[in-house]
Amino acid sequence: MKTRLSNPIAFTPRPVTIIGSLVYTALIIALLITHLIVPSAPSNRTPLAGVNLIEAWQDLQHISGGFHPYNSRLNDEIRDWLLRRIERILAQNTKGLMFDRSKYLHDPRFRAAIARQSPAVVFSDVTSNVTFSSEGKKNKRETGREPGISAYFEGTNIVVYIRGSEDGDEDWWTIGQKPPKRGGVLVNAHYDSVSTGYGATDDGVGVVSILQIIKHFTTEGNKPKRGIVALLNNGEEDFLNGARAFSQHPVSKFPRTFLNLEGAGAGGRAVMFRSTDTGVTKAYQKSMYPFASALSGDAFKRGLIRSETDYHVFTEKLGLRGLDVAFYEPRARYHTDRDDARHTSIDSIWHMLSASIPTLESLSSSDIGGDSNSSDAVWFDLFGRVIAVFELQTLFALSVALLVVAPIVVIVIGAMLYRVDKLYIFSRKRAVQGDGNDGPAPLHGWKGFFQYPVLFILATAAVVGLTFLMRKVNPFIIYSSPYAVWSMMLSAWFFVAWFFSCSIDYLRPSALIRLYSMLWLFIIGWIILIALTVMERRLHLAGGYFLVFYFAAIFLATSIALLELFALPRKSVYAEEVSRSNIGEARSHRSQNISSANSLTHPDDEQQQPDHSEHQDADEDEEATERTSLLRNDRNTTFAHYRHQDTDAGGEDALDVGKERKVYLGEQTWSWPLPNWLWVLQLLLLGVVPVILVGEIALLVTSSIHQTSADGSSTFLPYIAIALFTTLLLLPVSPFIHRYTYHIPVFLFLVFIGTLLYNLVAFPFSPNNRLKVYFVQRVDLDTGINTVSLTGIKDDPYLQKIVSSLPSTAGQDIVCIGSANRKGLKECSWHGLPPKVVPSPPPESGIPPHFGYADWLSFNVTHSNSSRNEAHITLFGKNSRACTLQFDTPIRDFSVAGAAEDDDRFDKVPKDGSKEIRLWSRTWEKPWRVTVRWDGSRGGGSSSSSGGLERTQGLNGKVVCLWSDANKSGVIPALDEVWRYAPTWAAVSKNSDGLVEGSKRFLV
């Protein structure tokens, strides 16, 4: 008795379900591990020469011990500590040489002498200042721009020059000297934090990484080939001020390339998300755990991401080539009190260090600063272990090649199939040559052609519909539960696609469904590739690389599916066999009728019939050729019979027929010679590379944008992005989905129901995923009126819930309006608790706090004698070193006493004028002397001289000073109240540069 052994890789339900599920499960698990788990720091805490991870962790704990924005006393303390820390590092690595910092900072001759004895030179920059501006946003008619913002900033950067072996011994930074022509490398981080965040990840990890970088490259044996400039800048959080101030330092002329270290989350992996060109990107290939995607660079390039880093200054103003590396999630902790050492790890420090040091070594060792390899780059990592880097021109060439070659190959294969008479697709029937036939033989080659586009539309419509449903019912659930949304989308798409495909396959089974599915994928992919190729050429966008490789996989799988058809019999041969079979059936039917009639007359003749069993057995063993009957002696070819014979209860005859013909469940009878295993190769081609590339980008994008709604970004974008990526992730399995058993789809349907209900009714925020609101307190120093404001998401009650939880709001009328400086958010205001940012009379004196408000800020405005449209303003604020001048009508020019000469790289005032001048001083309570000029033809009132019609233009506005230090409880009671009484699912961040803004109006 023979035992039936099933093919473990046959294109039948069980192997397809098992293999398909295992492939996807393995890929998804690997992607999640890469995305969620940071590579562990080595057990050896000194993994590289000069690098000590324990020291780095202790340094981070010290730096993140309090809020240290530029406008805080702790900022000065952090700066002094950094200088002492750098001096200890250099003293340790230069055989105990110590620096007299008081002389070192101010005596150029002493500085040069020390430079020739030391591998590094430290510059404590307390002289550089810069005046610059930023354009205003486009006006409502988009015919021009609104007035912009100007700024004057006094820097307190720390610059460390690590001498390279090719740099020479000259003190080239002195006046009149030029830096080495071959240049060097800049590595940058900022040591200030925001006023509501401890700055552990933004940018403490970057700072301690630079400390270890200094230690590494000044350790014996690690001297770089070209010099390295380590910049610890101050004031990045306010307006990228520190990087702009660095442009005024003589050392800024030395670097040709740079590496910027940033943070916009709390821990996790550091992603290389932006690069200027291929040459510098290849330097990042040396990273131990690369984590990068060119898609993020395109998002910045097209303005889809509104925030900026120092990368902008280095590329646009200094003309450098370089990389931007930053922590990016979770955004709910960004700029809040959860950006602390407790919510990051030593593993994150190691991830940034393990990328930074090899990258700097590569940048320092190669001639990247020249014009070579300066073309746009494409880059992406694979499972955080290796990274691919190549030129955008290469991607463009590949795209063009695929656009041309792929359809030609498909057409050629089709023509070859047509030539050998095996092109069964698009064939309804085939005429039979000769006499005695019953007409053309049916081929049913069109069956299954229209199934795939309907499947695609229905499944995609399901996830798009869920997008609109979630946005309508519970739009912020993705804020805390992105993976619940992912589970809902994936399970919905898969189940809808499976249910429709299996239903159609049951009603109209076809052996060509897999091929037709791939042809449709090929057509859709080819059209998308046309658009991508145009964007690569015209817009220089590299982020579509994954779709190029996606289409390449579709092309290969489609080619294999077409090549399978060569295994089929010629259509003419099959038609002849069908004809002979039909004739034989007719003759057999007539002979059976005659035999039945004869048996009634000659009942004994039955015994005289010859035994044909031996001839039949011989016929069964005869070698099959193209002329061999396709149907053999079995006449049961109906759809119902195929369904029956495939079951385990089909009997021995059914097993013999299944072995003989290999036709599956009522599919076309000519399909039995098709290879039964090539689908595995097609699945691997379609599934592995596309799913890896799409999956990595999908997780990166989801983590980057799922919490941006608190910043005023669209709630629709994260959902539609997940819907799009869901479709791209599951398209590779769609040609095989009709073979899946019901077990996986039914399980996914239950997952869909559970996640749908959860996503519809669950509260969208949690203590680990807190909703960010933005705090500011404004005090009118003329009237004593103070107003506290929280800004947050609009059109939902969450902001009101936070405000109503505060004791001071009880019984007050809360005024909520659209936010003026945060698009897409609303601002709710009420009369707040009096701030104490400036020392006031003690409570026992009985003097109300607001009586001392007028002394917080002093100013004087005088009209210039030389011009009617010029004024001199002197101002300062107590216990502050940041103030602003705000104007009702824009000014056209200004100057600040003590400012450096104008720099052509920076416009003092935008072409549409400035509505505000921001002033930052490195010293406390410093008086600013500002001269402003405005255009007499704009707005305002006028006066007439006794002689006639001379017009003069006044200037109205406000003087505002800022207070940003919240380290001591009771200084800003309104902020303390929010921290103490707000719900556990709410977080507080700063709304502007100052936590408290005190203002007085002026009139010129």
Side-chain angles (χ1 to χ4, degrees):
M1 181 177 179
K2 296 181 180 180
T3 303
R4 181 184 180 185
L5 297 177
S6 60
N7 185 351
I9 59 172
F11 191 54
T12 52
R14 186 173 297 173
V16 171
T17 303
I18 294 174
I19 295 175
S21 301
L22 287 177
V23 168
Y24 263 78
T25 301
L27 291 174
I28 291 173
I29 290 175
L31 289 169
L32 289 173
I33 289 175
T34 302
H35 184 76
L36 297 175
I37 299 178
V38 183
S40 299
S43 55
N44 177 14
R45 295 313 190 189
T46 57
L48 298 173
V51 172
N52 189 312
L53 295 179
I54 297 298
E55 283 185 1
W57 179 250
Q58 292 172 344
D59 289 345
L60 179 66
Q61 291 176 316
H62 183 90
I63 291 172
S64 59
F67 309 128
H68 48 283
Y70 181 88
N71 190 24
S72 69
R73 303 283 180 175
L74 185 58
N75 181 272
D76 292 337
E77 296 177 17
I78 294 294
R79 184 178 190 277
D80 290 340
W81 179 87
L82 286 171
L83 283 169
R84 293 193 300 272
R85 183 78 180 90
I86 292 169
E87 289 180 4
R88 287 199 302 270
I89 291 172
L90 296 181
Q92 177 183 350
N93 288 354
T94 53
K95 299 180 181 180
L97 179 65
M98 297 298 292
F99 302 130
D100 182 346
R101 187 153 57 97
S102 61
K103 295 180 180 179
Y104 175 67
L105 297 179
H106 302 293
D107 189 340
R109 293 171 299 174
F110 183 82
R111 181 172 58 196
I114 291 295
R116 292 190 177 95
Q117 302 175 50
S118 172
V121 183
V122 183
F123 300 88
S124 177
D125 185 7
V126 291
T127 59
S128 295
N129 63 71
V130 61
T131 305
F132 59 95
S133 66
S134 174
E135 286 188 333
K137 60 184 179 180
K138 291 184 177 180
N139 56 32
K140 294 181 179 180
R141 297 181 180 178
E142 297 194 356
T143 57
R145 291 185 176 273
E146 296 180 0
I149 296 173
S150 296
Y152 167 79
F153 178 78
E154 297 178 352
T156 56
N157 295 335
I158 299 173
V159 183
V160 181
Y161 166 57
I162 303 172
R163 192 182 301 278
S165 59
E166 296 184 353
D167 291 353
D169 295 331
E170 295 80 10
D171 51 345
W172 49 262
W173 51 86
T174 58
I175 299 175
Q177 299 292 325
K178 293 184 178 180
K181 292 183 178 180
R182 304 188 72 178
V185 187
L186 170 69
V187 58
N188 172 73
H190 65 90
Y191 66 85
D192 62 309
S193 74
V194 295
S195 52
T196 53
Y198 295 106
T201 302
D202 181 22
D203 189 19
V205 175
V207 171
V208 301
S209 294
I210 286 185
L211 293 178
Q212 294 301 311
I213 287 168
I214 294 171
K215 188 176 180 183
H216 172 78
F217 284 107
T218 56
T219 299
E220 185 176 358
N222 294 335
K223 191 172 187 177
K225 186 176 180 181
R226 294 183 181 85
I228 294 174
V229 175
L231 171 62
L232 297 175
N233 83 70
N234 192 14
E236 187 271 353
E237 294 291 359
D238 296 316
F239 217 27
L240 308 181
N241 293 336
R244 289 185 167 96
F246 173 69
S247 68
Q248 308 303 301
H249 195 279
V251 173
S252 67
K253 298 179 176 63
F254 174 66
R256 296 291 182 271
T257 58
F258 72 90
L259 173 65
N260 185 49
L261 305 180
E262 253 292 0
R269 288 177 181 249
V271 59
M272 195 280 284
F273 64 97
R274 196 158 39 159
S275 171
T276 56
D277 55 75
T278 306
V280 294
T281 309
K282 286 185 176 180
Y284 183 75
Q285 286 182 305
K286 305 294 184 180
S287 173
M288 297 181 188
Y289 308 102
F291 191 58
S293 173
L295 183 65
S296 56
D298 285 349
F300 273 93
K301 189 181 296 184
R302 304 309 302 171
L304 299 178
I305 299 178
R306 289 182 284 182
S307 60
E308 266 298 352
T309 69
D310 290 329
Y311 176 101
H312 171 76
V313 178
F314 298 144
T315 56
E316 299 298 323
K317 303 303 180 182
L318 274 66
L320 305 183
R321 300 164 55 193
L323 307 168
D324 220 351
V325 176
F327 300 98
Y328 69 102
E329 66 165 340
R331 193 159 180 89
R333 294 174 183 166
Y334 177 55
H335 284 183
T336 73
D337 57 352
R338 293 283 178 89
D339 183 12
D340 54 9
R342 182 172 51 186
H343 290 93
T344 186
S345 68
I346 198 170
D347 297 335
S348 294
I349 296 177
W350 171 240
H351 191 260
M352 178 166 275
L353 264 176
S354 66
S356 302
I357 291 178
T359 300
L360 290 171
E361 288 175 342
S362 181
L363 290 173
S364 172
S365 301
S366 56
D367 190 20
I368 296 176
D371 294 331
S372 61
N373 295 321
S374 59
S375 61
D376 293 327
V378 181
W379 69 91
F380 56 89
D381 75 282
L382 295 174
F383 294 115
R385 294 292 175 177
V386 296
I387 184 170
V389 180
F390 50 91
E391 295 182 7
L392 180 59
Q393 294 175 349
T394 303
L395 183 67
F396 176 73
L398 177 60
S399 301
V400 173
L402 285 171
L403 282 175
V404 176
V405 173
I408 290 176
V409 170
V410 169
I411 292 172
V412 168
I413 295 175
M416 293 171 62
L417 287 168
Y418 180 81
R419 186 177 181 84
V420 298
D421 199 24
K422 295 185 179 183
L423 189 64
Y424 279 81
I425 57 175
F426 312 124
S427 299
R428 294 185 181 276
K429 53 189 176 181
R430 177 57 186 264
V432 181
Q433 302 295 328
D435 300 329
N437 61 76
D438 291 338
L443 300 177
H444 304 295
W446 278 92
K447 287 175 64 176
F449 176 73
F450 295 103
Q451 174 178 327
Y452 192 79
V454 179
L455 176 153
F456 175 82
I457 292 172
L458 289 178
T460 305
V463 292
V464 172
L466 288 172
T467 295
F468 285 97
L469 177 65
M470 298 312 305
R471 188 168 182 251
K472 180 70 175 178
V473 177
N474 197 4
F476 300 103
I477 187 61
I478 196 172
Y479 195 94
S480 62
S481 306
Y483 293 106
V485 176
W486 264 111
S487 300
M488 177 185 69
M489 295 285 194
L490 288 169
S491 57
W493 200 101
F494 190 95
F495 180 80
V496 171
W498 172 83
F499 184 81
F500 173 80
S501 182
C502 286
S503 299
I504 297 301
D505 187 54
Y506 181 85
L507 298 174
R508 290 178 56 81
S510 173
L512 295 174
I513 288 177
R514 179 158 42 104
L515 173 56
Y516 277 136
S517 299
M518 293 180 186
L519 284 174
W520 277 108
L521 282 175
F522 182 89
I523 294 170
I524 296 171
W526 191 76
I527 294 172
I528 293 175
L529 186 59
I530 292 175
L532 285 175
T533 306
V534 172
M535 289 189 289
E536 290 164 5
R537 185 67 174 177
R538 295 188 177 181
L539 303 179
H540 301 281
L541 298 182
Y545 65 87
F546 66 100
L547 292 175
V548 176
F549 291 105
Y550 202 120
F551 177 75
I554 293 173
F555 163 57
L556 293 175
T558 304
S559 300
I560 293 173
L562 286 169
L563 291 172
E564 285 186 77
L565 299 184
F566 283 102
L568 295 175
R570 297 177 185 270
K571 291 189 289 184
S572 59
V573 173
Y574 172 75
E576 291 176 5
E577 290 299 321
V578 170
S579 177
R580 283 200 301 269
S581 175
N582 291 337
I583 294 173
E585 287 183 359
R587 290 175 178 174
S588 175
H589 181 69
R590 289 196 297 270
S591 63
Q592 288 177 6
N593 291 339
I594 294 172
S595 297
S596 298
N598 290 338
S599 65
L600 294 176
T601 309
H602 306 287
D604 296 334
D605 290 350
E606 184 177 352
Q607 299 176 3
Q608 301 176 15
Q609 298 298 319
D611 186 4
H612 298 288
S613 60
E614 294 181 2
H615 299 284
Q616 292 173 354
D617 292 340
D619 185 58
E620 293 289 336
D621 296 333
E622 182 182 353
E623 183 178 356
T625 67
E626 284 193 342
R627 306 300 297 180
T628 303
S629 173
L630 298 174
L631 304 180
R632 303 281 179 158
N633 294 321
D634 195 306
R635 303 292 184 264
N636 299 317
T637 60
T638 65
F639 170 80
H641 185 71
Y642 281 118
R643 295 283 173 178
H644 175 71
Q645 69 179 333
D646 192 63
T647 62
D648 293 337
E652 190 171 344
D653 293 339
L655 294 177
D656 293 338
V657 171
K659 291 178 182 179
E660 181 177 323
R661 288 180 299 179
K662 305 176 185 176
V663 177
Y664 182 79
L665 293 181
E667 294 176 349
Q668 297 91 331
T669 53
W670 46 257
S671 65
W672 68 269
L674 287 173
N676 212 15
W677 58 272
L678 281 176
W679 75 273
V680 178
L681 178 58
Q682 293 167 339
L683 175 64
L684 294 177
L685 283 172
L686 281 175
V688 176
V689 173
V691 169
I692 291 173
L693 295 180
V694 174
E696 288 186 335
I697 290 177
L699 290 171
L700 178 64
V701 170
T702 302
S703 295
S704 301
I705 68 174
H706 77 101
Q707 292 179 332
T708 55
S709 56
D711 304 326
S713 299
S714 169
T715 57
F716 179 74
L717 180 60
Y719 290 103
I720 199 63
I722 291 179
L724 171 63
F725 286 122
T726 292
T727 303
L728 290 174
L729 284 170
L730 293 180
L731 281 179
V733 79
S734 58
F736 319 96
I737 202 168
H738 62 289
R739 284 288 201 267
Y740 268 71
T741 64
Y742 68 89
H743 304 86
I744 298 296
V746 169
F747 169 74
L748 291 178
F749 177 73
L750 296 176
V751 171
F752 165 69
I753 295 298
T755 53
L756 175 64
L757 293 175
Y758 172 83
N759 291 331
L760 289 176
V761 303
F763 189 74
F765 310 108
S766 68
N768 287 326
N769 297 277
R770 300 181 300 168
L771 172 64
K772 258 194 298 191
V773 293
Y774 303 91
F775 174 92
V776 68
Q777 185 168 15
R778 301 182 180 95
V779 182
D780 188 327
L781 301 180
D782 291 321
T783 64
I785 298 175
N786 88 83
T787 303
V788 175
S789 297
L790 286 181
T791 300
I793 55 179
K794 62 181 180 180
D795 301 329
D796 282 279
Y798 306 113
L799 180 58
Q800 284 87 338
K801 288 182 179 180
I802 296 172
V803 172
S804 63
S805 68
L806 307 178
S808 66
T809 63
Q812 292 198 48
D813 292 329
I814 310 300
V815 179
C816 296
I817 58 174
S819 175
N821 62 335
R822 292 187 178 270
K823 185 178 179 181
L825 301 180
K826 68 179 177 182
E827 181 177 311
C828 291
S829 305
W830 64 96
H831 181 72
L833 301 174
K836 302 175 183 178
V837 293
V838 174
S840 57
E844 56 269 18
S845 66
I847 302 175
H850 63 270
F851 277 23
Y853 285 169
D855 296 333
W856 288 12
L857 184 160
S858 299
F859 75 94
N860 183 50
V861 180
T862 59
H863 223 131
S864 173
N865 294 326
S866 59
S867 173
R868 292 285 187 177
N869 298 320
E870 180 179 281
H872 305 291
I873 305 175
T874 302
L875 69 152
F876 83 98
K878 288 186 177 180
N879 199 31
S880 176
R881 57 178 177 183
C883 293
T884 69
L885 294 171
Q886 300 175 5
F887 308 104
D888 296 343
T889 55
I891 63 169
R892 60 176 173 82
D893 191 20
F894 79 101
S895 60
V896 179
E901 295 182 359
D902 293 348
D903 189 330
D904 293 338
R905 294 172 295 181
F906 301 99
D907 294 326
K908 290 201 301 183
V909 176
K911 63 179 182 179
D912 296 298
S914 285
K915 63 181 179 182
E916 180 178 353
I917 301 174
R918 298 180 180 180
L919 304 166
W920 283 277
S921 170
R922 65 176 62 92
T923 57
W924 294 90
E925 300 185 357
K926 172 188 174 180
W928 285 282
R929 294 176 176 85
V930 184
T931 300
V932 297
R933 303 168 189 88
W934 61 96
D935 191 343
S937 63
R938 293 184 178 179
S942 64
S943 62
S944 299
S945 65
S946 59
L949 299 176
E950 180 185 357
R951 294 177 58 85
T952 60
Q953 169 67 47
L955 184 68
N956 304 337
K958 288 194 301 184
V959 177
V960 183
C961 284
L962 313 177
W963 291 268
S964 311
D965 197 337
N967 285 291
K968 294 182 179 179
S969 178
V971 173
I972 310 177
L975 180 60
D976 296 338
E977 181 186 42
V978 177
W979 272 326
R980 183 175 304 142
Y981 293 105
T984 57
W985 47 264
V988 184
S989 184
K990 65 164 187 133
N991 190 34
S992 58
D993 296 337
L995 293 173
V996 176
E997 300 178 354
S999 65
K1000 292 182 179 181
R1001 289 201 62 83
F1002 68 83
L1003 171 64
V1004 179

